[in-house]
Amino acid sequence: MILLTDPDCGSCDTDEALVWLRRVLPTLSVSVVFEDSDEGRNLIGQHALRSLPAFLFSDTLTKTDFFAQAGSLFRVSGKQYLLDMEELGLPPGKYLETPSITDRSIIFGNRNASLAVVIYSDFQCDFCGGFQKNQVKKLLNEYGDRAAFVFKALPLDTHPKAPLLAQASLCAHEQGKYLDYANALFSKQHELEHRPNTRQELKNISWMAKLDWKSFSDCLDQDRFAKQVEDEASEARSLGLSATPAIFIGNRFISGAAEYDTLRQMMDDALVGVHQR
């Protein structure tokens, strides 16, 4: 097996995965290749890899009992077999492809910064509310002059009202009130969940947040940002995201409402990396 990784990526630790692999494949031989080597770059291009660490097996894998029982965990690429980390439920440590940032994106902080922080949220997600109020607010206050903070929607299938709530936040952003409106949505999460006329409730919140009520109502009734919400969610799923909050700090990724100290360390490391380029 070839293990493709980045030695400087703390979240790319593979110790537990290797222990498990050696348990199911006792004769496993591992060759470590680094991302920034010629061989690493060739492997990334050859197999269209989008994240690290990556586990590439030779075709002798197909002769094992493990493959006979768990062949669905692998993607065939040429004469090699790529272990699907998503199928195992293991989040990537580092992405080689990061979310796009367009003219439509919601951006705070320093729009021209070399470091981009992309945050995916769902307005019906309990963890997202606390994460926005605490960790995200602190990150903006501490790093807003050094990074671009991009907010994207990832409505989960278990939250039927989330797409409409995300649309409403974009209607508020159209009037320069995204953060105020987003905070109001999170504070009324449970009320909105049980109210039958969600559109009217969202309009009421816009009035309380001192938005132009008519402009906001027209935006919401026209589903003006439905396509953007769909596009952002599709992109997130193409990156293997299935839970919120999810945050990219440059090309490093962390899933869930991480503690602020963890995020701060990732920010500091990413900023050092940007300055060394």
PDB file of all heavy atoms in Angstrom, residues 104-124:
ATOM      1  N   ARG A 104     -20.773  35.925  -5.706  1.00  0.00           N
ATOM      2  CA  ARG A 104     -22.021  35.764  -4.949  1.00  0.00           C
ATOM      3  C   ARG A 104     -21.779  35.383  -3.493  1.00  0.00           C
ATOM      4  O   ARG A 104     -22.695  35.445  -2.672  1.00  0.00           O
ATOM      5  CB  ARG A 104     -22.886  34.675  -5.594  1.00  0.00           C
ATOM      6  CG  ARG A 104     -23.311  34.946  -7.030  1.00  0.00           C
ATOM      7  CD  ARG A 104     -24.223  33.828  -7.529  1.00  0.00           C
ATOM      8  NE  ARG A 104     -23.588  32.525  -7.388  1.00  0.00           N
ATOM      9  CZ  ARG A 104     -24.237  31.357  -7.446  1.00  0.00           C
ATOM     10  NH1 ARG A 104     -25.540  31.346  -7.603  1.00  0.00           N
ATOM     11  NH2 ARG A 104     -23.587  30.214  -7.325  1.00  0.00           N
ATOM     12  N   SER A 105     -20.572  34.953  -3.170  1.00  0.00           N
ATOM     13  CA  SER A 105     -20.286  34.430  -1.832  1.00  0.00           C
ATOM     14  C   SER A 105     -20.425  35.502  -0.753  1.00  0.00           C
ATOM     15  O   SER A 105     -20.123  36.684  -0.984  1.00  0.00           O
ATOM     16  CB  SER A 105     -18.871  33.847  -1.787  1.00  0.00           C
ATOM     17  OG  SER A 105     -18.723  32.788  -2.699  1.00  0.00           O
ATOM     18  N   ILE A 106     -20.864  35.059   0.407  1.00  0.00           N
ATOM     19  CA  ILE A 106     -20.925  35.942   1.585  1.00  0.00           C
ATOM     20  C   ILE A 106     -19.542  35.972   2.210  1.00  0.00           C
ATOM     21  O   ILE A 106     -19.042  34.951   2.681  1.00  0.00           O
ATOM     22  CB  ILE A 106     -21.953  35.425   2.607  1.00  0.00           C
ATOM     23  CG1 ILE A 106     -23.352  35.390   1.983  1.00  0.00           C
ATOM     24  CG2 ILE A 106     -21.945  36.281   3.858  1.00  0.00           C
ATOM     25  CD1 ILE A 106     -24.395  34.739   2.871  1.00  0.00           C
ATOM     26  N   ILE A 107     -18.919  37.139   2.218  1.00  0.00           N
ATOM     27  CA  ILE A 107     -17.531  37.261   2.700  1.00  0.00           C
ATOM     28  C   ILE A 107     -17.437  38.367   3.729  1.00  0.00           C
ATOM     29  O   ILE A 107     -17.914  39.484   3.501  1.00  0.00           O
ATOM     30  CB  ILE A 107     -16.553  37.551   1.536  1.00  0.00           C
ATOM     31  CG1 ILE A 107     -16.668  36.485   0.446  1.00  0.00           C
ATOM     32  CG2 ILE A 107     -15.119  37.616   2.062  1.00  0.00           C
ATOM     33  CD1 ILE A 107     -15.832  36.776  -0.789  1.00  0.00           C
ATOM     34  N   PHE A 108     -16.799  38.062   4.853  1.00  0.00           N
ATOM     35  CA  PHE A 108     -16.483  39.054   5.878  1.00  0.00           C
ATOM     36  C   PHE A 108     -14.983  39.026   6.136  1.00  0.00           C
ATOM     37  O   PHE A 108     -14.285  38.114   5.706  1.00  0.00           O
ATOM     38  CB  PHE A 108     -17.255  38.764   7.168  1.00  0.00           C
ATOM     39  CG  PHE A 108     -18.721  39.079   7.069  1.00  0.00           C
ATOM     40  CD1 PHE A 108     -19.617  38.132   6.594  1.00  0.00           C
ATOM     41  CD2 PHE A 108     -19.202  40.320   7.444  1.00  0.00           C
ATOM     42  CE1 PHE A 108     -20.969  38.411   6.483  1.00  0.00           C
ATOM     43  CE2 PHE A 108     -20.558  40.621   7.350  1.00  0.00           C
ATOM     44  CZ  PHE A 108     -21.432  39.664   6.867  1.00  0.00           C
ATOM     45  N   GLY A 109     -14.514  40.026   6.866  1.00  0.00           N
ATOM     46  CA  GLY A 109     -13.083  40.104   7.128  1.00  0.00           C
ATOM     47  C   GLY A 109     -12.359  40.772   5.978  1.00  0.00           C
ATOM     48  O   GLY A 109     -12.891  41.670   5.324  1.00  0.00           O
ATOM     49  N   ASN A 110     -11.163  40.314   5.704  1.00  0.00           N
ATOM     50  CA  ASN A 110     -10.320  40.887   4.655  1.00  0.00           C
ATOM     51  C   ASN A 110     -10.545  40.124   3.349  1.00  0.00           C
ATOM     52  O   ASN A 110     -10.011  39.038   3.158  1.00  0.00           O
ATOM     53  CB  ASN A 110      -8.852  40.807   5.083  1.00  0.00           C
ATOM     54  CG  ASN A 110      -7.913  41.448   4.071  1.00  0.00           C
ATOM     55  OD1 ASN A 110      -8.307  41.799   2.966  1.00  0.00           O
ATOM     56  ND2 ASN A 110      -6.658  41.602   4.449  1.00  0.00           N
ATOM     57  N   ARG A 111     -11.324  40.710   2.457  1.00  0.00           N
ATOM     58  CA  ARG A 111     -11.682  40.027   1.205  1.00  0.00           C
ATOM     59  C   ARG A 111     -10.456  39.725   0.342  1.00  0.00           C
ATOM     60  O   ARG A 111     -10.484  38.829  -0.489  1.00  0.00           O
ATOM     61  CB  ARG A 111     -12.662  40.890   0.397  1.00  0.00           C
ATOM     62  CG  ARG A 111     -13.967  41.183   1.095  1.00  0.00           C
ATOM     63  CD  ARG A 111     -14.844  42.062   0.223  1.00  0.00           C
ATOM     64  NE  ARG A 111     -15.312  41.356  -0.951  1.00  0.00           N
ATOM     65  CZ  ARG A 111     -16.473  40.724  -1.038  1.00  0.00           C
ATOM     66  NH1 ARG A 111     -17.285  40.696   0.011  1.00  0.00           N
ATOM     67  NH2 ARG A 111     -16.833  40.116  -2.151  1.00  0.00           N
ATOM     68  N   ASN A 112      -9.392  40.488   0.514  1.00  0.00           N
ATOM     69  CA  ASN A 112      -8.197  40.328  -0.322  1.00  0.00           C
ATOM     70  C   ASN A 112      -7.120  39.465   0.320  1.00  0.00           C
ATOM     71  O   ASN A 112      -6.021  39.341  -0.218  1.00  0.00           O
ATOM     72  CB  ASN A 112      -7.618  41.708  -0.659  1.00  0.00           C
ATOM     73  CG  ASN A 112      -8.596  42.571  -1.421  1.00  0.00           C
ATOM     74  OD1 ASN A 112      -9.250  42.110  -2.353  1.00  0.00           O
ATOM     75  ND2 ASN A 112      -8.726  43.840  -1.018  1.00  0.00           N
ATOM     76  N   ALA A 113      -7.423  38.889   1.481  1.00  0.00           N
ATOM     77  CA  ALA A 113      -6.417  38.090   2.188  1.00  0.00           C
ATOM     78  C   ALA A 113      -6.083  36.818   1.429  1.00  0.00           C
ATOM     79  O   ALA A 113      -6.908  36.273   0.685  1.00  0.00           O
ATOM     80  CB  ALA A 113      -6.931  37.732   3.584  1.00  0.00           C
ATOM     81  N   SER A 114      -4.867  36.336   1.628  1.00  0.00           N
ATOM     82  CA  SER A 114      -4.439  35.093   0.976  1.00  0.00           C
ATOM     83  C   SER A 114      -5.079  33.864   1.621  1.00  0.00           C
ATOM     84  O   SER A 114      -5.195  32.812   0.982  1.00  0.00           O
ATOM     85  CB  SER A 114      -2.915  34.959   1.046  1.00  0.00           C
ATOM     86  OG  SER A 114      -2.300  36.019   0.359  1.00  0.00           O
ATOM     87  N   LEU A 115      -5.482  33.995   2.873  1.00  0.00           N
ATOM     88  CA  LEU A 115      -6.100  32.876   3.582  1.00  0.00           C
ATOM     89  C   LEU A 115      -7.614  33.011   3.575  1.00  0.00           C
ATOM     90  O   LEU A 115      -8.154  34.049   3.979  1.00  0.00           O
ATOM     91  CB  LEU A 115      -5.603  32.812   5.029  1.00  0.00           C
ATOM     92  CG  LEU A 115      -6.225  31.707   5.896  1.00  0.00           C
ATOM     93  CD1 LEU A 115      -5.883  30.323   5.359  1.00  0.00           C
ATOM     94  CD2 LEU A 115      -5.777  31.842   7.350  1.00  0.00           C
ATOM     95  N   ALA A 116      -8.298  31.958   3.125  1.00  0.00           N
ATOM     96  CA  ALA A 116      -9.763  31.928   3.143  1.00  0.00           C
ATOM     97  C   ALA A 116     -10.240  30.894   4.156  1.00  0.00           C
ATOM     98  O   ALA A 116      -9.722  29.779   4.212  1.00  0.00           O
ATOM     99  CB  ALA A 116     -10.315  31.599   1.765  1.00  0.00           C
ATOM    100  N   VAL A 117     -11.218  31.283   4.950  1.00  0.00           N
ATOM    101  CA  VAL A 117     -11.866  30.391   5.909  1.00  0.00           C
ATOM    102  C   VAL A 117     -13.308  30.216   5.441  1.00  0.00           C
ATOM    103  O   VAL A 117     -14.050  31.199   5.361  1.00  0.00           O
ATOM    104  CB  VAL A 117     -11.823  30.980   7.328  1.00  0.00           C
ATOM    105  CG1 VAL A 117     -12.540  30.062   8.314  1.00  0.00           C
ATOM    106  CG2 VAL A 117     -10.391  31.239   7.764  1.00  0.00           C
ATOM    107  N   VAL A 118     -13.683  28.995   5.099  1.00  0.00           N
ATOM    108  CA  VAL A 118     -15.027  28.732   4.579  1.00  0.00           C
ATOM    109  C   VAL A 118     -15.819  27.942   5.614  1.00  0.00           C
ATOM    110  O   VAL A 118     -15.380  26.875   6.061  1.00  0.00           O
ATOM    111  CB  VAL A 118     -14.975  27.959   3.250  1.00  0.00           C
ATOM    112  CG1 VAL A 118     -16.389  27.726   2.713  1.00  0.00           C
ATOM    113  CG2 VAL A 118     -14.132  28.716   2.217  1.00  0.00           C
ATOM    114  N   ILE A 119     -16.976  28.477   5.986  1.00  0.00           N
ATOM    115  CA  ILE A 119     -17.788  27.883   7.044  1.00  0.00           C
ATOM    116  C   ILE A 119     -19.135  27.463   6.467  1.00  0.00           C
ATOM    117  O   ILE A 119     -19.884  28.285   5.935  1.00  0.00           O
ATOM    118  CB  ILE A 119     -18.008  28.883   8.190  1.00  0.00           C
ATOM    119  CG1 ILE A 119     -16.657  29.334   8.765  1.00  0.00           C
ATOM    120  CG2 ILE A 119     -18.894  28.291   9.273  1.00  0.00           C
ATOM    121  CD1 ILE A 119     -16.710  30.629   9.529  1.00  0.00           C
ATOM    122  N   TYR A 120     -19.438  26.170   6.561  1.00  0.00           N
ATOM    123  CA  TYR A 120     -20.735  25.642   6.127  1.00  0.00           C
ATOM    124  C   TYR A 120     -21.637  25.477   7.347  1.00  0.00           C
ATOM    125  O   TYR A 120     -21.237  24.876   8.343  1.00  0.00           O
ATOM    126  CB  TYR A 120     -20.566  24.282   5.450  1.00  0.00           C
ATOM    127  CG  TYR A 120     -20.037  24.342   4.041  1.00  0.00           C
ATOM    128  CD1 TYR A 120     -18.680  24.188   3.784  1.00  0.00           C
ATOM    129  CD2 TYR A 120     -20.892  24.538   2.957  1.00  0.00           C
ATOM    130  CE1 TYR A 120     -18.183  24.228   2.484  1.00  0.00           C
ATOM    131  CE2 TYR A 120     -20.408  24.577   1.661  1.00  0.00           C
ATOM    132  CZ  TYR A 120     -19.059  24.422   1.428  1.00  0.00           C
ATOM    133  OH  TYR A 120     -18.577  24.458   0.143  1.00  0.00           O
ATOM    134  N   SER A 121     -22.865  26.005   7.226  1.00  0.00           N
ATOM    135  CA  SER A 121     -23.813  25.917   8.335  1.00  0.00           C
ATOM    136  C   SER A 121     -25.190  25.501   7.845  1.00  0.00           C
ATOM    137  O   SER A 121     -25.499  25.579   6.659  1.00  0.00           O
ATOM    138  CB  SER A 121     -23.927  27.269   9.050  1.00  0.00           C
ATOM    139  OG  SER A 121     -22.774  27.566   9.792  1.00  0.00           O
ATOM    140  N   ASP A 122     -26.010  25.103   8.819  1.00  0.00           N
ATOM    141  CA  ASP A 122     -27.412  24.758   8.589  1.00  0.00           C
ATOM    142  C   ASP A 122     -28.173  25.455   9.709  1.00  0.00           C
ATOM    143  O   ASP A 122     -27.885  25.245  10.891  1.00  0.00           O
ATOM    144  CB  ASP A 122     -27.565  23.232   8.661  1.00  0.00           C
ATOM    145  CG  ASP A 122     -29.008  22.758   8.616  1.00  0.00           C
ATOM    146  OD1 ASP A 122     -29.882  23.429   9.168  1.00  0.00           O
ATOM    147  OD2 ASP A 122     -29.253  21.688   8.036  1.00  0.00           O
ATOM    148  N   PHE A 123     -29.147  26.302   9.347  1.00  0.00           N
ATOM    149  CA  PHE A 123     -29.829  27.109  10.356  1.00  0.00           C
ATOM    150  C   PHE A 123     -30.773  26.309  11.242  1.00  0.00           C
ATOM    151  O   PHE A 123     -31.316  26.849  12.202  1.00  0.00           O
ATOM    152  CB  PHE A 123     -30.580  28.269   9.683  1.00  0.00           C
ATOM    153  CG  PHE A 123     -29.671  29.351   9.195  1.00  0.00           C
ATOM    154  CD1 PHE A 123     -29.412  29.514   7.842  1.00  0.00           C
ATOM    155  CD2 PHE A 123     -29.043  30.198  10.095  1.00  0.00           C
ATOM    156  CE1 PHE A 123     -28.564  30.514   7.395  1.00  0.00           C
ATOM    157  CE2 PHE A 123     -28.189  31.192   9.666  1.00  0.00           C
ATOM    158  CZ  PHE A 123     -27.947  31.360   8.316  1.00  0.00           C
ATOM    159  N   GLN A 124     -30.972  25.030  10.961  1.00  0.00           N
ATOM    160  CA  GLN A 124     -31.724  24.168  11.865  1.00  0.00           C
ATOM    161  C   GLN A 124     -30.808  23.277  12.696  1.00  0.00           C
ATOM    162  O   GLN A 124     -31.284  22.432  13.452  1.00  0.00           O
ATOM    163  CB  GLN A 124     -32.708  23.298  11.077  1.00  0.00           C
ATOM    164  CG  GLN A 124     -33.956  24.037  10.611  1.00  0.00           C
ATOM    165  CD  GLN A 124     -35.028  23.080  10.111  1.00  0.00           C
ATOM    166  OE1 GLN A 124     -35.034  22.692   8.948  1.00  0.00           O
ATOM    167  NE2 GLN A 124     -35.932  22.700  11.000  1.00  0.00           N
TER     168      GLN A 124
END
